Amino acid sequence: MSLGEPNMSSGRKTTLRENMLFGMGNPLLDISAVVDKDFLDKFGLKPNDQILAEDKHEALFEEIVKRNKVEYHAGGSTQNSVKIAQWMIQKPYKVATFFGCIGTDHFGEILKKKAEEAHVDAHYYEQNEKPTGTCAACITGDNRSLVANLAAANCYKKEKHLDLDSNWELVKKAKVYYIAGFFLTVSPESILKVAKHASENDKIFCMNLSAPFISQFFKEPLMKVMPYVDILFGNETEAATFAKEMGFETDDIAEIAKKTQNLPKENTKRQRMVVFTQGKDDTVATVGERVTMFPVLDIDQNNIVDTNGAGDAFVGGFLSALVQEQVLEECIRAGHYAANVIIRRVGCTFPEKPDFH
């Protein structure tokens, strides 16, 4: 499957079938609320950041649910992306598969119900030692500070779930794989198993830098997976942190994309592609030997309700076109469309049908 020249012969898209797109990650229930600067300061949060919860944040979760207008949405970065991809595709249902770990509790039931409503084929590893993970989305203006309490999501076990024949069969059915960098903190061995399968079978494995802390504190597992990564996503802040950790000695985003593209790669039949979003600025992507800029869709500041999930939505839109073997430009156009829809709504939620042609 190439991202070079489109398939001119027939002009039709690939026939989609169930389980063609595989995602694995941390299924979390997002708890979103509009907060003020005092709230951020009280818990030592930056306005725009993603962190893992520590003991000192325990009170944050108790406090945020008491705010007025708190909203609950199915979340988790990878789960958001595969859900958006499925929404963009519409039919057939269950083109997207998702694996992750939840608790046997009320929040877990909500996640199951939401995945079903989104027509994603979710297969959760369910355990009762830890409750279903949550993510507090603390919204101020058009910034969002995310604090993830992984809980059950952190309990995913390769040998208890991924390695089971019935589950591994679903993995083998896919031709595009996507795992956010966040899952590196949970089960790097699961990621490697999937990444190697993709590489050995000339399928497409995609990953996301996800957050600055991944490059800073999980660089070793990240770099173990990197040789198998065909498409790497990230935003401008994550790209800059990655460049610093890698000693690239540049803060030019196009240069960072190029250097990242040229890192060692297992499957040499596919050149790595690097795609960095920059909020309202152009999306940067490596196209063969060049780096190209793709402008995002214009949006009035007043229409931006919540940027939480914009990056996940971009990836979801991109994957929906990728799984249909569209060229890079089309993948990015679909990504920009999906992100543009998501930022007009609270949480990573979407209208019934996309209006994308």
Side-chain angles (χ1 to χ4, degrees):
M1 190 158 125
S2 92
L3 278 175
E5 290 309 304
N7 176 356
M8 292 299 189
S9 56
S10 59
R12 29 179 205 98
K13 293 182 187 168
T14 319
T15 311
L16 288 168
R17 53 169 174 74
E18 285 189 1
N19 311 116
M20 218 166 192
L21 171 65
F22 176 83
M24 178 166 63
N26 300 332
L28 305 173
L29 190 73
D30 283 349
I31 305 171
S32 320
V34 174
V35 300
D36 49 27
K37 191 176 177 308
D38 291 345
F39 184 91
L40 296 182
D41 293 343
K42 179 177 177 180
F43 294 106
L45 304 177
K46 295 177 192 160
N48 215 8
D49 201 11
Q50 302 108 307
I51 61 167
L52 291 177
E54 295 167 49
D55 294 344
K56 65 176 182 188
H57 297 115
E58 211 165 303
L60 181 153
F61 285 88
E62 290 162 19
E63 218 174 288
I64 199 165
V65 297
K66 295 188 186 125
R67 310 286 296 193
N68 50 0
K69 292 223 307 238
V70 60
E71 298 205 14
Y72 293 88
H73 297 286
S77 184
T78 305
Q79 184 167 244
N80 282 343
S81 294
V82 299
K83 206 172 269 186
I84 298 271
Q86 181 64 53
W87 171 71
M88 289 283 287
I89 288 164
Q90 289 285 309
K91 285 192 172 157
Y93 292 157
K94 296 189 175 179
V95 169
T97 317
F98 179 76
F99 285 7
C101 181
I102 58 175
T104 49
D105 51 24
H106 177 57
F107 282 178
E109 288 306 313
I110 294 177
L111 287 186
K112 284 201 275 193
K113 187 167 152 285
K114 294 285 185 191
E116 204 176 317
E117 284 168 9
H119 307 296
V120 168
D121 194 14
H123 293 257
Y124 296 112
Y125 169 50
E126 297 180 47
Q127 50 72 59
N128 53 17
E129 278 173 31
K130 291 270 177 160
T132 297
T134 48
C135 179
C138 310
I139 318 281
T140 52
D142 57 8
N143 286 324
R144 77 322 164 244
S145 195
L146 306 177
V147 184
N149 179 22
L150 297 184
N154 206 22
C155 301
Y156 189 83
K157 298 278 182 287
K158 175 175 167 289
E159 56 287 353
K160 294 258 178 81
H161 194 262
L162 186 68
D163 292 345
L164 303 183
D165 289 345
S166 57
N167 289 333
W168 187 248
E169 282 306 313
L170 289 170
V171 175
K172 293 200 307 204
K173 278 177 79 175
K175 47 182 226 183
V176 174
Y177 300 85
Y178 174 66
I179 301 176
F182 289 123
F183 203 56
L184 286 163
T185 75
V186 174
S187 185
E189 57 286 355
S190 295
I191 302 178
L192 273 171
K193 182 175 180 177
V194 171
K196 286 177 176 170
H197 167 80
S199 180
E200 284 158 13
N201 294 277
D202 196 26
K203 302 197 239 181
I204 299 183
F205 182 79
C206 315
M207 197 149 191
N208 203 314
L209 292 174
S210 290
F213 81 83
I214 297 292
S215 298
Q216 288 165 318
F217 307 114
F218 295 88
K219 182 179 157 189
E220 198 188 340
L222 174 64
M223 294 321 290
K224 273 202 179 120
V225 181
M226 196 59 79
Y228 303 102
V229 177
D230 296 300
I231 303 177
L232 182 71
F233 297 102
N235 67 22
E236 71 278 44
T237 326
E238 294 148 11
T241 305
F242 180 68
K244 201 160 119 206
E245 292 298 322
M246 294 300 292
F248 285 169
E249 294 184 349
T250 176
D251 47 16
D252 177 279
I253 192 143
E255 196 55 32
I256 295 170
K258 196 82 209 119
K259 287 185 183 250
T260 306
Q261 179 186 37
N262 292 329
L263 291 169
K265 191 161 187 308
E266 276 298 313
N267 177 8
T268 49
K269 294 201 279 272
R270 289 183 191 282
Q271 187 177 28
R272 180 180 296 114
M273 186 178 291
V274 179
V275 183
F276 290 145
T277 56
Q278 310 187 81
K280 59 183 186 311
D281 297 325
D282 293 3
T283 294
V284 178
T286 57
V287 185
E289 299 311 308
R290 300 190 315 281
V291 176
T292 309
M293 304 287 187
F294 297 89
V296 303
L297 295 162
D298 278 334
I299 184 169
D300 185 329
Q301 272 307 105
N302 299 325
N303 292 334
I304 299 177
V305 174
D306 171 8
T307 55
N308 183 21
D312 298 339
F314 172 81
V315 172
F318 189 104
L319 294 171
S320 72
L322 179 64
V323 80
Q324 299 180 68
E325 299 190 12
Q326 301 278 12
V327 286
L328 175 74
E329 287 73 359
E330 278 305 299
C331 295
I332 288 179
R333 194 169 76 85
H336 285 164
Y337 168 79
N340 187 273
V341 169
I342 294 306
I343 57 180
R344 299 167 190 268
R345 309 165 67 90
V346 173
C348 197
T349 60
F350 35 82
E352 195 191 339
K353 284 196 162 70
D355 178 24
F356 178 73
H357 307 289

